[in-house]
Amino acid sequence: MIYLDNAATTRTAPEAVEAMLPYFTESYGNAGGIYRLGTESKKAIIQAKETIAQTLGAQPNEIYFTAGGTESDNWALKAVYEAYADRGKHIITSAIEHHAVLNVCEYLERQGARITYLDVDKDGLVDIGQLEKAVCPDTILISIMYANNEIGTIQPVKEIGGIADRHGILFHTDAVQAYGQLPIDVKECHIDLLSASGHKFNGPKGVGFLYIDQKVKLRSYMHGGQQERGRRAGTENVPGIVGMEAAVKRAYRIMEEKTAKEIQLRDYLIGRILHEIPGTRLNGHSVKRLPGNVNISFESIEGESALIMLDMKGICASGGSACTTGALDPSHVLLALGQPPELARGAIRMTLSEENTQEEMDIVVRELKGIVEKIRRCRSL
Ligand SMILES: *Cc1c(COP(=O)(O)O)cnc(C)c1O
């Protein structure tokens, strides 16, 4: 099997699994308990917050554990809208956000919010000038993703944060694809809220975090016990948190080497496909791009058929985001780049990890050539 869907999820690192195990079997105490079994769990949670805070240039009490990226995005947007309602009801986001942001925005619109969806250019970059113009006296929040999950484009986050800061507006970034892959400094980039998810950087599924700057005053999101400083109630997922912490340590330890290897494989794969298969186009920015992201549109191809044929060859790829796979609608991200729907339907996303090899890339190119030729031949009959 050749696994090329690391933007959908990653393999849990063995060291993350190993770190989790004792918290199922021996150290299973509720972190709220006053006995040693409980304080062991509590210590593990505090330690994990310290580890994560350090990677971001944040304070441990600014890290809140959640059940993943979707919850972090929901929390950030809904809680800011509620807490800052007296200041205004305007939120600025982009047209290419993940559905965990876009569908929350739609929900908030039904609650009375006014949302501006910024366009992106042909590479998927937001226009800083357009952002500046979109700011109104009643704007309370800018929510723009750090890096896109479909096309890998990395946004000018520091400039966006600078604008938010100058206007006294909060800045949330969905960094689910970026955290653990790229270095991030929340203070330097004026990020007030940041979403991340364990399973996107070789941690376990169902655990993530939301960074909330101390100055941001949000009310409780989950009502119940006093966990997470009373803001997110519920017994903590101690094994998940510990596993994610181990994955964070690993990600930062190998980041430089992993990035270099993925960029080399990425550019090799992109180069071969664009040169050797006619009617192909790279989606997303060629340089301001996640190290492992390859997204290519093939003319006169149904992406779905190609994915099924790739699967029969043991190659796991995707047509865009996993959430839209199975749907025949072309990706909202590719449409926002100005791509015609027929071409957008022929997009294939391959997201690499440091475990992939050049030999695998050669197999993928060979199989893709055969599959694309076959589909095109059948369509022209
Ligand atoms: C995967 C992903 C999410 C959702 O994260 P989950 O942990 O799967 O809920 C949100 N935003 C982006 C950009 C993602 O890639």
Side-chain angles (χ1 to χ4, degrees):
M1 186 191 76
I2 301 177
Y3 185 72
L4 301 179
D5 205 14
N6 286 279
T9 198
T10 57
R11 188 162 87 97
T12 311
E15 64 195 83
V17 176
E18 204 171 308
M20 292 169 80
L21 286 176
Y23 290 91
F24 289 110
T25 51
E26 293 131 43
S27 308
Y28 52 81
N30 188 314
I34 57 158
Y35 37 82
R36 217 188 70 206
L37 208 56
T39 54
E40 271 172 16
S41 292
K42 179 132 195 110
K43 267 192 211 146
I45 294 170
I46 292 169
Q47 181 57 54
K49 287 192 184 185
E50 276 172 15
T51 300
I52 293 170
Q54 245 178 34
T55 63
L56 291 168
Q59 296 301 316
N61 64 6
E62 295 176 314
I63 305 299
Y64 295 82
F65 292 119
T66 66
T70 301
E71 184 189 326
S72 297
D73 286 342
N74 269 262
W75 184 1
L77 271 78
K78 290 176 185 171
V80 167
Y81 182 68
E82 193 193 41
Y84 290 77
D86 56 334
R87 295 235 337 244
K89 289 176 176 287
H90 183 227
I91 295 172
I92 301 171
T93 187
S94 83
I96 62 166
E97 296 298 308
H98 189 275
H99 283 112
V101 167
L102 284 182
N103 288 349
V104 176
C105 286
E106 264 179 41
Y107 164 80
L108 292 177
E109 276 180 316
R110 292 195 294 275
Q111 306 297 308
R114 192 160 58 80
I115 315 271
T116 299
Y117 299 91
L118 297 179
D119 305 323
V120 292
D121 69 8
K122 62 172 193 357
D123 293 327
L125 288 170
V126 297
D127 178 343
I128 292 296
Q130 195 198 9
L131 168 62
E132 187 98 52
K133 272 187 227 136
V135 173
C136 297
D138 64 335
T139 308
I140 51 171
L141 177 69
I142 297 172
S143 180
I144 292 180
M145 67 201 319
Y146 207 107
N148 184 268
N149 48 302
E150 292 190 34
I151 57 173
T153 297
I154 301 167
Q155 298 295 345
V157 173
K158 199 171 162 186
E159 282 82 353
I160 297 168
I163 290 175
D165 186 51
R166 274 202 301 287
H167 292 275
I169 303 166
L170 294 179
F171 175 34
H172 165 250
T173 188
D174 174 343
V176 174
Q177 289 292 331
Y179 183 78
Q181 319 284 342
L182 309 172
I184 300 177
D185 187 320
V186 288
K187 304 296 174 194
E188 191 185 292
C189 296
H190 297 287
I191 296 167
D192 300 300
L193 301 108
L194 177 144
S195 303
S197 178
H199 75 101
K200 299 290 175 80
F201 55 90
N202 304 95
K205 293 171 182 56
V207 63
F209 68 85
L210 179 65
Y211 154 80
I212 309 176
D213 188 302
Q214 298 183 57
K215 73 168 192 268
V216 182
K217 301 288 173 245
L218 298 185
R219 294 185 210 127
S220 295
Y221 175 63
M222 281 287 211
H223 302 272
Q226 280 307 305
Q227 294 91 351
E228 300 290 350
R229 300 155 63 83
R231 286 172 156 183
R232 199 268 192 183
T235 301
E236 297 90 342
N237 173 8
V238 185
I241 289 165
V242 169
M244 178 164 68
E245 184 201 14
V248 167
K249 285 185 179 158
R250 174 184 176 274
Y252 276 80
R253 191 178 71 233
I254 68 169
M255 192 178 280
E256 218 172 301
E257 199 186 334
K258 174 180 161 76
T259 300
K261 175 153 193 217
E262 287 177 5
I263 287 179
Q264 192 259 322
L265 288 177
R266 175 194 77 187
D267 293 344
Y268 176 76
L269 182 59
I270 292 173
R272 283 204 62 190
I273 293 174
L274 295 184
H275 284 110
E276 298 176 35
I277 306 180
T280 49
R281 178 198 297 198
L282 176 69
N283 298 317
H285 199 281
S286 59
V287 184
K288 294 173 188 165
R289 182 180 199 95
L290 285 171
N293 179 287
V294 177
N295 187 317
I296 290 180
S297 285
F298 295 79
E299 284 169 20
S300 315
I301 290 285
E302 280 291 348
E304 290 293 316
S305 331
L307 292 175
I308 293 164
M309 291 163 80
L310 281 170
D311 177 42
M312 292 194 295
K313 302 288 184 185
I315 299 168
C316 311
S318 145
S321 68
C323 321
T324 51
T325 303
L328 280 172
D329 291 342
S331 139
H332 69 286
V333 175
L334 297 178
L335 295 181
L337 302 184
Q339 198 156 109
E342 345 41 282
L343 191 56
R345 281 199 189 88
I348 298 179
R349 178 187 76 177
M350 291 166 279
T351 43
L352 320 178
S353 81
E354 77 286 354
E355 293 185 344
N356 290 120
T357 63
Q358 184 148 327
E359 293 72 61
E360 289 179 330
M361 302 301 109
D362 291 330
I363 296 171
V364 169
V365 174
R366 189 185 70 216
E367 297 300 349
L368 263 177
K369 276 184 190 168
I371 288 167
V372 168
E373 253 172 46
K374 194 166 178 178
I375 296 177
R376 286 180 179 161
R377 202 169 51 236
C378 294
R379 276 174 71 133
S380 62
L381 284 180

